[in-house]
Each structure stands twice: as C-alpha cells, then as structure tokens.
Amino acid sequence: MKNGRFITLGIETSCDETAAAVTADGREVLSNVIASQIDVHEVFGGVVPEIASRHHLTQINAVMDAAIAEAGVAWRDIDLVGATMGPGLVGAVLIGLSTAKAVAYAADRPLAAVHHIKGHVCASYLRPPASDSTGALPRITDRGPFGASVASSENFIKTPGAGMAPPHLALVVSGGHTDLIDVRSYTEYRLLGRTRDDAVGEAFDKVARVLGLGYPGGPKVDEIAKNGNPKAVGFKRVYLEEGSLDFSFSGVKTAVLNYINTERQAGREVNVADVAASFEASVVDVIAAKTRAALHSTGRRKLTMGGGVAANSMLRARMAALCADEGVELSVPPPVYCTDNAAMIACAAYYQYKEQGPSRLDTDAYATLSI
Ligand code: KG4
Ligand code: ZN
C-alpha cells in the first residue's frame, strides 16, 4: 500500500513486448514500461518465438526495475503481482509468469495469473497519466464515407475510460485474436464471436507484407491508407452465416494478392494507398456490422475496444460513429494501451484478485486458453 492505495505490479511477456507496469487501486497507471523487440524480429518479417523468449529473459529485470522506479514506489509497497498466464507464445509467457512467481514468493505477496485477453478488455478501464492520453488519439481526417459526422463523434470516445465498468460489450482485435465478448462482471466473460481462422491483426500484417510495407504491418497500413480511397477496390466482405458473430479474415490476403497480380499483368500501376484503404474498409465494415449486431442481441449500452488493431484510425473512427449512432458509450484506450502492455495486466490482476483471490504459485503458462 502507498498512501492508502492498493499497488499492483503487472508483467506482460506473451509476444514480442517485454512489459512491466504499476497501477494504484487497479486503474490508475503510475508507470508503464515497454521494451519492444520489433527491431529484433523485423529482419525475419515476423516474431520468432524462441528469440522472443530469450529477449524477455534478458530484459525483464531491467524493465521491472524501471517500472518500480518510475512509479515512485518501493518494492515493499507492492500488494499484488499480476502476470499474463496465456494465451500467447508459451515460452515467452513463461518468462513473465515465472518472474512474477519469483517476485511474489520472495516478497511474500499474492500472485494473480491473468488471461491476456481480459487484460486487453481492462485496458479500457485505465486512467493513464495525462502525458499518455493527450494527443494520443488519431486525428480524424475527412475521407470518403466517414466525413464530417466522424470528426465530431471522435469527441464521443471517452479517454481515459476511468468511469467504464461492467456490464458491457468488448471488442478485442489484436494480432492473435478477434473476439466479441459480453463482459457481465469483472470476472464473468462470455465469448459471443471469434475469428475462425486469421485474427484481424494477422490480416493487416500479411497484407502489409504483400504490399511491401514491412513489419509490423498494422501501423504501416494505417498510415499509408490515410492517403488512399477506401472505395477504390471492392474487396469481398465475409459475413459467414446469417446471425453469426464469428469472423473470417484468411481470404482477404489472397484477395489483395490476386488484385495486385491482375493489375500488374494488365500493365496497370498499383496504387498502394488505395489498396491499403480498401482492405481496411473491407475489414472495418465487417467488424462494425458484427459489433452492431452484438450490441443489439445483448442490449448492452457500453462498448470497450482493445488490442493492437484498436489503435487503427479507420476502425476507431468507424466505431466512434457507430456508437454515436446507437447512443452507446464507447471507451477506447490511447494507442499505447491498445497494443500489448503491462498496465492492462495489472488492472485485470487487481479485479481478479479482489473477486477470486490469489492464483497458486504452480499455475502453468498456456499457449491457448479459453476466456
Ligand atoms: O495486441 P497486440 O499488441 O498483440 C497481440 O496480442 O496480438 O496486437 C498486435 C497487432 C499486430 O498485428 C499489429 O500489426 C496490429 O496489432 N496493429 C495495428 C495497428 N497497430 C498495431 N493494426 C492496424 N492499425 C494499427 N494502427
Ligand atoms: Zn495482445
């Protein structure tokens, strides 16, 4: 405890970010340290699991020390140690989880081993320091179907989402997941829909590779698409069977590849910005339609969005417009809390511990884990 506040140390190592953070009373971010391995994996065009684990191992202690120092707390102030237990690259998860167990055991503090996706949901509850939230929202530019109504609806996004609480609908869109979840309470999650093949972030990364934009693809597609026409190419929208809240994004990469090959064979120049914007529009259309359907079927009046792809400008704009239209309250974290971070894990750990107590010190790490 510090000044009467409950202090949580969070640790996240499920993919290619080594992260540690400290929160007060679950939601207030005191520090959020992230050591990214992007440069390490860039040359391979994707994350190499074994290399990721080794880097987590060399970084984790320094990252944790930095999180404690930046938060202005002492080790003895820590009340709870939270870490991701899965899903993720299992060797990578193991480094963070083992570190958390060691700290919890040595400091005689409880451990809370949390589900990574619950972390992405909890990112919408965080109250980040002003420096992380100001200017972090993407500016909405007037382009095609979005227009002026979107510019005003950006004000509708409540950041930070310190007032957000269950029950609500959650959309988690990341490199590994595309989930629509009914969050009934801080510990009751019901999965309504999920991807049947590629996650939407995976589709962004693959399309970026096809377009020669490099890795990680999502932010690069986002940037270049801002100069493109989303109506230039009519990529197919895959809705699956009537009433389904599941997704399928595995076909879109092939569709983009086929389009590029056809254009080149016909001797026409490919406008990368137009293709990127059209691809984005095709996935954003589907995500928006399914989210609207999930809001209707559950009757929820609040929506949170998280995961790396929630940093995407077109998706943010569309969801803001959708929620304004539906009169639904939307909470989307600033981009740095959309991608993997440990503040969201600390927040998830806090609520889990408060309602369900500590996790055992022999808790395993998992590559796959249902919510
Ligand atoms: O949540 P995250 O950091 O890691 C996972 O748990 O998967 O998500 C990473 C994914 C990557 O596929 C990355 O390309 C995508 O999020 N991403 C974006 C943007 N920023 C990150 N996709 C679209 N637009 C962005 N601005
Ligand atoms: Zn993630």
Side-chain angles (χ1 to χ4, degrees):
M1 297 290 272
K2 176 143 192 207
N3 302 329
R5 313 193 68 195
F6 190 96
I7 305 294
T8 306
L9 168 67
I11 296 174
E12 153 62 37
T13 61
S14 68
C15 192
D16 58 348
E17 325 273 8
T18 314
V22 175
T23 64
D25 296 334
R27 292 175 176 235
E28 189 177 338
V29 182
L30 301 184
S31 67
N32 185 40
V33 178
I34 304 170
S36 173
Q37 301 178 7
I38 283 177
D39 327 355
V40 178
H41 300 286
E42 200 167 12
V43 286
F44 303 103
V47 180
V48 184
E50 182 56 26
I51 297 177
S53 311
R54 285 164 194 256
H55 272 266
H56 287 312
L57 195 55
T58 57
Q59 300 300 309
I60 189 67
N61 284 353
V63 167
M64 213 165 43
D65 284 344
I68 298 281
E70 260 180 45
V73 298
W75 283 100
R76 66 176 174 280
D77 297 330
I78 306 286
D79 298 297
L80 173 70
V81 186
T84 302
M85 65 186 290
L89 303 171
V90 75
V93 174
L94 202 53
I95 306 298
L97 184 60
S98 307
T99 305
K101 287 177 186 177
V103 170
Y105 184 69
D108 195 19
R109 293 293 191 269
L111 170 78
V114 304
H115 195 291
H116 182 75
I117 300 303
K118 292 183 181 172
H120 278 303
V121 172
C122 290
S124 288
Y125 307 150
L126 292 172
R127 181 142 39 93
S131 55
D132 282 359
S133 24
T134 49
L137 284 171
R139 262 185 304 116
I140 307 301
T141 49
D142 182 6
R143 44 178 184 161
F146 299 119
S149 66
V150 173
S152 57
S153 61
E154 178 70 351
N155 299 333
F156 203 77
I157 297 184
K158 289 203 170 48
T159 303
M164 179 59 75
H168 63 82
L169 187 71
L171 171 68
V172 177
V173 278
S174 74
H177 301 267
T178 309
D179 294 336
L180 271 168
I181 304 160
D182 187 28
V183 183
R184 295 172 167 187
S185 75
Y186 285 115
T187 47
E188 265 180 288
Y189 290 65
R190 192 166 70 92
L191 187 62
L192 303 173
R194 57 183 297 193
T195 183
R196 293 190 186 166
D197 39 58
D198 288 358
V200 64
E202 229 172 321
F204 268 92
D205 294 336
K206 287 180 177 174
V207 165
R209 201 184 299 186
V210 167
L211 291 174
L213 298 175
Y215 166 87
K220 293 186 174 154
V221 171
D222 189 349
E223 210 40 52
I224 199 157
K226 288 176 185 163
N227 302 314
N229 173 7
K231 288 188 171 164
V233 191
F235 293 121
K236 194 168 167 231
R237 275 73 170 148
V238 179
Y239 289 99
L240 300 169
E241 35 335 317
E242 176 97 38
S244 172
L245 293 176
D246 283 349
F247 301 89
S248 169
F249 295 115
S250 65
V252 69
K253 184 200 78 173
T254 316
V256 172
L257 194 59
N258 287 345
Y259 171 80
I260 293 171
N261 288 340
T262 310
E263 290 302 289
R264 290 203 176 129
Q265 273 162 13
R268 288 189 288 266
E269 208 174 299
V270 172
N271 182 325
V272 175
D274 281 354
V275 176
S278 300
F279 152 73
E280 270 192 354
S282 74
V283 300
V284 167
D285 275 358
V286 174
I287 293 172
K290 303 260 174 186
T291 306
R292 198 189 285 269
L295 283 168
H296 290 174
S297 71
T298 56
R300 297 288 181 225
R301 309 302 301 155
K302 295 186 280 188
L303 172 70
T304 64
M305 205 162 94
V309 185
N312 182 266
S313 328
M314 193 187 284
L315 183 63
R316 292 172 84 99
R318 179 68 71 84
M319 297 313 274
L322 186 154
C323 288
D325 185 42
E326 293 279 337
V328 163
E329 185 185 338
L330 174 64
S331 178
V332 190
V336 68
Y337 296 96
C338 288
T339 46
D340 288 347
N341 66 86
M344 67 183 197
I345 300 301
C347 185
Y350 171 84
Y351 287 109
Q352 182 174 305
Y353 174 70
K354 287 276 163 188
E355 298 200 3
Q356 297 180 325
S359 306
R360 291 168 53 106
L361 285 181
D362 61 357
T363 301
D364 259 335
Y366 297 92
T368 56
L369 189 64
S370 56
I371 201 155

